[in-house]
Amino acid sequence: MVAVYIDPLLKCEGCSLTQILSFSCDRQVDLDSRYAIWRKVGGELIELVPSRSQANIAIIPHNLCEYLHNGQMMPIVREVVRKNVDAGLLTWAFLWSDLNDPIDLGGVRIFRTGGYASRSYTYEEGMPSFCEDLRGKYCARNFVDTAPVERLSVSFCGNADGKKSLWQHFCYWRSSNEGEVGRKLRRKTMRILEEISFVHSYFHTFDSFFVGENMMDETERRKRRELFVLNMLASNYALVVRGTGNYSYRHYEAMSLGRVPLFIDSDCLLPLNDLIDWDSVMCIVSENNLGDLTDQFLRFDEKCDDIVRVGEKAREIWQNYLTPEGFFRSILIDQRRMSLGAL
């Protein structure tokens, strides 16, 4: 049990243990399905204490993104962190966001989804994008998870269409081009794979986020989601390429389904590198070395005697380390991650 201190200045009214670390800015997300496990075991992992002197670590509650974009809250956050440091207490913060720039809060270990490994500070760590258990949700009902017939088969279902209206072009021109960087990389990788005669590609592309999630029709949205799952089940490998943030939600969805990620590494900040042997459960190809994609893909596949078993190992790693329960348990038992001196 880890003793956690949360400064009252950072608590939202009615903030409880079950709300801590529910870090999604998207109010449409079904938190019950995504965080059910965390809410169930949270009380087994941490204990909220009333003072810094009683705590092992301090935590900034909720998504750090909500504070970074709040001019009134950030000075308060910095003052709270300063008090924590003066008390010899390390602060943890969690950033689930497409933000990629390094963040310096001084005395804070930041777990984040986006960011670039080569540009990040030593106290910034990768954090998984928590997804629902797709196998448990879909394959336990009417979807059959059988081994694909084609060994070298790759799936992708999502946003990669470069078509945009004049208004969309204007919006992208005014904002960051990170989203277009991700889409271009997806299209480039898919073109290479489609030209490989012995690779069976199952690609469905859309011009909207999350295979059409911004569509208002609930029935169509559900159909698109089922198409996404069926598409991934049809292949042994799932193409995983960054989006607007330098990470991929699809990465963890593929692992939850027991599929092997074909991971295009765009200098990503992968979570728990010290605990997970990523090379054993996914084919990693640098975005700067796509010309060697075919050879690297073949070499990885040749060393996998049983590709289905590799997919199952990927799912085991997802269950043990990349679900809310697995991730928080992993970082909360690591004394090094709680030490202010380790920053």
Side-chain angles (χ1 to χ4, degrees), residues 133-140 145 256-259 311-312 315:
D133 184 353
L134 293 186
R135 176 182 287 180
K137 180 176 180 178
Y138 290 94
C139 299
D145 183 7
S256 81
L257 271 175
R259 292 304 183 257
E312 289 305 307
R315 176 170 167 80

Side-chain angles (χ1 to χ4, degrees), residues 182-194:
R183 283 185 291 275
K184 284 183 177 179
L185 183 57
R186 291 174 178 183
R187 294 195 296 271
K188 180 179 180 180
T189 307
M190 283 190 281
R191 283 196 297 269
I192 294 174
L193 290 169
E194 287 175 327

Side-chain angles (χ1 to χ4, degrees), residues 145-151 153 232-237 259 308:
D145 183 7
T146 58
V149 175
E150 298 88 1
R151 168 72 180 238
S153 50
M232 197 171 285
L233 287 175
S235 64
N236 284 313
Y237 293 89
R259 292 304 183 257
V308 174

Side-chain angles (χ1 to χ4, degrees), residues 88-133:
L89 202 59
L90 177 66
T91 304
W92 280 2
F94 300 87
L95 178 63
W96 186 342
S97 167
D98 286 342
L99 293 175
N100 293 319
D101 294 333
I103 298 171
D104 182 10
L105 291 180
V108 180
R109 182 177 295 281
I110 301 174
F111 299 90
R112 60 184 302 172
T113 50
Y116 296 95
S118 64
R119 305 180 207 171
S120 63
Y121 295 109
T122 56
Y123 45 80
E124 292 183 292
E125 288 195 44
M127 182 182 78
S129 296
F130 300 127
C131 69
E132 60 188 344
D133 184 353

Side-chain angles (χ1 to χ4, degrees), residues 232-251:
M232 197 171 285
L233 287 175
S235 64
N236 284 313
Y237 293 89
L239 179 60
V240 172
V241 188
R242 61 161 290 178
T244 301
N246 192 36
Y247 68 99
S248 174
Y249 194 74
R250 182 179 288 99
H251 178 192

Side-chain angles (χ1 to χ4, degrees), residues 193-320:
L193 290 169
E194 287 175 327
E195 292 174 359
I196 304 174
S197 60
F198 50 82
V199 172
H200 299 267
S201 56
Y202 300 96
F203 299 152
H204 296 274
T205 62
F206 300 89
D207 60 0
S208 53
F209 173 65
F210 196 59
V211 292
E213 188 177 1
N214 62 344
M215 300 176 64
M216 297 304 294
D217 185 84
E218 185 66 30
T219 301
E220 182 64 20
R221 185 183 305 173
R222 185 171 58 254
K223 288 180 179 179
R224 291 275 183 104
R225 184 59 170 165
E226 292 179 351
L227 172 63
F228 175 86
V229 174
L230 287 171
N231 171 258
M232 197 171 285
L233 287 175
S235 64
N236 284 313
Y237 293 89
L239 179 60
V240 172
V241 188
R242 61 161 290 178
T244 301
N246 192 36
Y247 68 99
S248 174
Y249 194 74
R250 182 179 288 99
H251 178 192
Y252 306 98
E253 292 175 313
M255 295 178 73
S256 81
L257 271 175
R259 292 304 183 257
V260 179
L262 173 53
F263 186 86
I264 307 303
D265 185 9
S266 47
D267 195 22
C268 296
L269 203 59
L270 289 171
L272 302 178
N273 270 320
D274 55 332
L275 298 176
I276 299 174
D277 179 9
W278 287 107
D279 289 303
S280 70
V281 292
M282 63 185 190
C283 177
I284 304 175
V285 181
S286 170
E287 66 170 338
N288 299 319
N289 200 23
L290 287 182
D292 195 34
L293 172 62
T294 304
D295 290 339
Q296 290 193 50
F297 189 17
L298 280 175
R299 284 197 296 270
F300 177 88
D301 190 74
E302 287 172 356
K303 74 177 184 180
C304 299
D305 295 330
D306 186 344
I307 192 64
V308 174
R309 177 60 194 136
V310 176
E312 289 305 307
K313 183 178 179 181
R315 176 170 167 80
E316 289 172 10
I317 287 177
W318 174 77
Q319 290 175 309
N320 293 332

Side-chain angles (χ1 to χ4, degrees), residues 152-201:
L152 285 173
S153 50
V154 184
S155 66
F156 179 88
C157 184
N159 183 7
D161 198 329
K163 299 176 182 178
K164 293 191 292 291
S165 66
L166 289 176
W167 172 249
Q168 287 174 313
H169 277 291
F170 175 71
C171 291
Y172 280 112
W173 173 77
R174 285 186 56 105
S175 62
S176 167
N177 68 346
E178 294 273 16
E180 186 57 28
V181 168
R183 283 185 291 275
K184 284 183 177 179
L185 183 57
R186 291 174 178 183
R187 294 195 296 271
K188 180 179 180 180
T189 307
M190 283 190 281
R191 283 196 297 269
I192 294 174
L193 290 169
E194 287 175 327
E195 292 174 359
I196 304 174
S197 60
F198 50 82
V199 172
H200 299 267
S201 56

